[in-house]
Amino acid sequence: MRSGSVRETSAPRYLQIAEDLAEQIQKGVLPPGEKIPSESELMDRYGVAPGTARKAVAELRATGLIETHHGKGSFVKSRPPVNRKSSDRFRRSHRKAGKAAYLAEAEQAGAKPSVRVLYVGPTEAPADIADRLSVAPGTQVLARRRLYFSDGVPTEEATSYLPWDVAKDIPELFAENPGGGGIYARLEDHGHILAEFSETVRARLATKPEAVSLSLSPGAPVIHLTRNAYSEAGRVVEVCDTLMAADQFILDYRIPAGD
Amino acid sequence: MRSGSVRETSAPRYLQIAEDLAEQIQKGVLPPGEKIPSESELMDRYGVAPGTARKAVAELRATGLIETHHGKGSFVKSRPPVNRKSSDRFRRSHRKAGKAAYLAEAEQAGAKPSVRVLYVGPTEAPADIADRLSVAPGTQVLARRRLYFSDGVPTEEATSYLPWDVAKDIPELFAENPGGGGIYARLEDHGHILAEFSETVRARLATKPEAVSLSLSPGAPVIHLTRNAYSEAGRVVEVCDTLMAADQFILDYRIPAGD
DNA sequence: TAGTGGTCTAGACCACCGG
DNA sequence: CGGTGGTCTAGACCACTAA
């Protein structure tokens, strides 16, 4: 039984409730980090059934305004400063200055960056990686998998792959911290002068395991970035796959207009 | 009452059903365009309540495997060939050859492209646009809003803004079709030689109105691309906002490794 | 008019979290 | 342990579509 409303075909009740809560978040009545009313409280307050209150909360979660934790409640998301990924980050002068790109960028955004190395060592190249490195699938390559944090929150997972014959002579690449300027600086130290990078950008929804490792709500959007590093000899000396929480990043690119 | 299952804490029933259907789609048992079983049929077939069948369908919709049409049913999405957006598309030689970037790219992907002009004319610049054009908010600018189709399916909505003093002397910019090489060629015809473009890429979920205009399921991911065109004089002579269905595009960029 | 999905009710039980 | 969200049931009525 629907209660008599002014407009019979108005917006669904669950959207009205979501809208109401969204407004309170926007106005700061519910500040970031604050717990929003529980589902049973929403039932009482708006006089709706469990399923309806539930759907209102789901709507807010889908739009990224809140995150919910089983057994604890739903909380207003803090809007962290976005990290800008600039194409400038690959300039040789930056590498020479010993800057680590992710560090400088995160600090510029006013966040405390940190890294956790998940794995460094030999791996059999998956098909897509092998293709980009121009080696046979299953060939042994060096993999470096890292998880990046911004203010303690995981935001980005990156895996670099290097051909074994390139990596084997560069001991720093097997260390957790490859030293100032990162692995690109080490490659150039050992004669692999870099000429160009190519990047591809895709956006999609996170899979279940991805959502877990980046601690996202399932169904949150992610940016999937792939990068190939070309040496002056024209060889791909490194490829990198990066998965980012989409709401944390803006990617910047500069494109010359020339011929 | 849960029926006795082998594993008590197994995956939720609605995910099992979704997985089952996803497998049939993957294997081609349910080919693109095919109608999937209705919710009531799923209830019978799997012996679940309406809400559970419903949630299974919602899961498939969220992962982009199907699209649902009220009153008709849910249908397996055809995976159209992705459109690659390459940074090469802005080369002057392409403009001189009279190529329109979107046309060449879509055709290369094996799709029939088309365009609908939604609006061409004066507009008061919104705050963000005005900022990028270095004019005061509310200043009159020329807006060109287009909707792009691939095989008749809307995939991309783009709006260009040009400062009035730049646009007013170029009559082609007020026409629906600005001629070979697009508006960038016309700008260069009239002395605004282009030096560089800068692009920013964001990914997020579509809002309700955006989902409507691109005919996406609500909650589908979109790529929001902004581009500034710089003349050799260092002035921003055009800015462009583009909204793309994320599953339709891969963006390509090349980045020099130099200083 | 029959069939479809969209919204909603009013309960139930389970799993996780904190004190 | 009580409170929270996660899953599920078994119905109801509405809105849209096609025959």
Side-chain angles (χ1 to χ4, degrees):
Chain A
M1 180 241 313
R2 299 290 302 278
S3 63
S5 58
V6 180
R7 180 87 174 71
E8 198 49 58
T9 50
S10 53
R13 197 83 180 89
Y14 76 93
L15 280 183
Q16 292 179 24
I17 298 172
E19 182 68 24
D20 196 6
L21 291 171
E23 208 169 288
Q24 293 180 45
I25 292 172
Q26 203 69 24
K27 285 182 182 166
V29 182
L30 293 171
E34 186 83 357
K35 185 175 169 301
I36 71 166
S38 74
E39 294 179 0
S40 32
E41 194 166 337
L42 291 177
M43 288 167 54
D44 293 349
R45 190 179 299 184
Y46 293 95
V48 293
T52 306
R54 186 159 185 71
K55 221 176 168 203
V57 175
E59 184 70 18
L60 290 175
R61 185 174 45 239
T63 60
L65 277 177
I66 62 169
E67 53 187 356
T68 84
H69 297 281
H70 194 166
K72 293 204 295 185
S74 295
F75 303 83
V76 178
K77 262 205 215 174
S78 48
R79 283 266 164 222
V82 289
N83 299 274
R84 289 192 93 91
K85 289 264 176 198
S86 159
S87 47
D88 265 10
R89 63 212 292 270
F90 295 118
R91 290 163 65 126
R92 186 164 293 118
S93 51
H94 289 187
R95 284 198 293 284
K96 291 240 166 103
K99 284 186 191 167
Y102 75 92
L103 230 159
E105 283 171 347
E107 278 179 350
Q108 198 173 3
K112 283 174 284 295
S114 55
V115 197
R116 186 162 86 223
V117 175
L118 302 177
Y119 176 76
V120 175
T123 312
E124 293 187 358
D128 56 328
I129 301 296
D131 184 53
R132 285 156 62 193
L133 285 175
S134 298
V135 300
T139 306
Q140 180 181 257
V141 297
L142 174 63
R144 298 178 49 87
R145 179 181 295 266
R146 298 92 68 201
L147 187 58
Y148 294 89
F149 299 82
S150 184
D151 284 330
V153 180
T155 57
E156 179 183 352
E157 186 175 333
T159 309
S160 283
Y161 300 89
L162 298 100
W164 194 257
D165 70 287
V166 169
K168 71 177 197 299
D169 300 322
I170 314 180
E172 294 96 326
L173 294 184
F174 293 81
E176 291 213 347
N177 185 343
I183 67 174
Y184 296 138
R186 295 298 83 71
L187 284 168
E188 295 205 315
D189 290 346
H190 287 74
H192 299 284
I193 307 301
L194 299 176
E196 192 180 61
F197 301 89
S198 71
E199 291 193 347
T200 70
V201 182
R202 295 173 177 80
R204 53 179 174 77
L205 299 183
T207 65
K208 271 274 158 61
E210 288 169 351
V212 170
S213 74
L214 288 179
S215 58
L216 300 172
S217 323
V222 292
I223 295 173
H224 181 192
L225 188 148
T226 69
R227 179 173 55 248
N228 293 2
Y230 293 86
S231 72
E232 287 191 337
R235 180 175 180 196
V236 177
V237 291
E238 185 242 17
V239 306
C240 185
D241 261 45
T242 306
L243 199 74
M244 297 173 279
D247 62 356
Q248 300 258 345
F249 290 95
I250 300 177
L251 277 47
D252 279 354
Y253 293 99
R254 289 169 55 213
I255 307 162
D259 309 304
Chain B
M1 182 242 309
R2 300 289 303 279
S3 62
S5 58
V6 180
R7 179 86 175 72
E8 198 51 56
T9 50
S10 54
R13 197 82 180 89
Y14 76 93
L15 279 183
Q16 292 178 24
I17 298 172
E19 182 68 24
D20 196 7
L21 291 171
E23 208 169 289
Q24 293 182 44
I25 293 173
Q26 204 69 24
K27 285 182 181 166
V29 183
L30 292 171
E34 186 82 356
K35 185 175 168 302
I36 70 166
S38 73
E39 295 179 0
S40 30
E41 194 166 337
L42 290 177
M43 288 168 54
D44 292 349
R45 190 179 298 185
Y46 293 95
V48 293
T52 306
R54 186 161 186 70
K55 219 173 170 207
V57 175
E59 184 70 17
L60 290 175
R61 186 174 44 235
T63 60
L65 278 177
I66 63 170
E67 54 187 354
T68 83
H69 298 280
H70 193 167
K72 292 204 294 187
S74 294
F75 302 84
V76 178
K77 262 205 215 176
S78 48
R79 282 264 165 225
V82 288
N83 299 274
R84 289 192 93 91
K85 289 264 177 198
S86 160
S87 46
D88 265 9
R89 62 211 295 268
F90 296 117
R91 291 164 64 126
R92 186 164 294 120
S93 51
H94 290 186
R95 286 197 292 283
K96 290 240 167 103
K99 284 186 189 165
Y102 74 95
L103 229 158
E105 282 171 346
E107 278 178 352
Q108 197 175 2
K112 283 175 284 296
S114 54
V115 197
R116 187 162 86 224
V117 174
L118 301 178
Y119 176 76
V120 175
T123 312
E124 293 188 358
D128 56 328
I129 301 296
D131 184 52
R132 285 156 62 193
L133 285 175
S134 300
V135 301
T139 305
Q140 180 181 258
V141 297
L142 174 63
R144 298 178 50 87
R145 178 180 295 265
R146 298 92 67 200
L147 187 58
Y148 294 90
F149 299 82
S150 184
D151 284 331
V153 180
T155 57
E156 178 182 353
E157 185 177 333
T159 309
S160 284
Y161 300 88
L162 297 100
W164 194 258
D165 70 286
V166 169
K168 72 177 197 298
D169 301 322
I170 314 180
E172 294 96 327
L173 295 183
F174 292 82
E176 290 214 347
N177 185 342
I183 66 174
Y184 295 139
R186 294 297 83 72
L187 284 168
E188 296 204 315
D189 290 346
H190 287 75
H192 299 285
I193 307 302
L194 299 176
E196 191 179 62
F197 301 89
S198 72
E199 291 193 347
T200 70
V201 182
R202 296 172 176 81
R204 54 179 173 77
L205 299 182
T207 65
K208 272 272 159 62
E210 288 169 352
V212 169
S213 74
L214 289 178
S215 57
L216 301 171
S217 325
V222 291
I223 296 174
H224 181 191
L225 188 148
T226 69
R227 179 173 56 248
N228 294 2
Y230 293 85
S231 70
E232 288 190 337
R235 180 175 179 194
V236 177
V237 291
E238 186 243 16
V239 306
C240 186
D241 261 43
T242 305
L243 199 73
M244 296 173 279
D247 62 357
Q248 300 259 346
F249 291 94
I250 300 177
L251 276 46
D252 278 355
Y253 293 99
R254 290 168 55 214
I255 306 163
D259 309 304

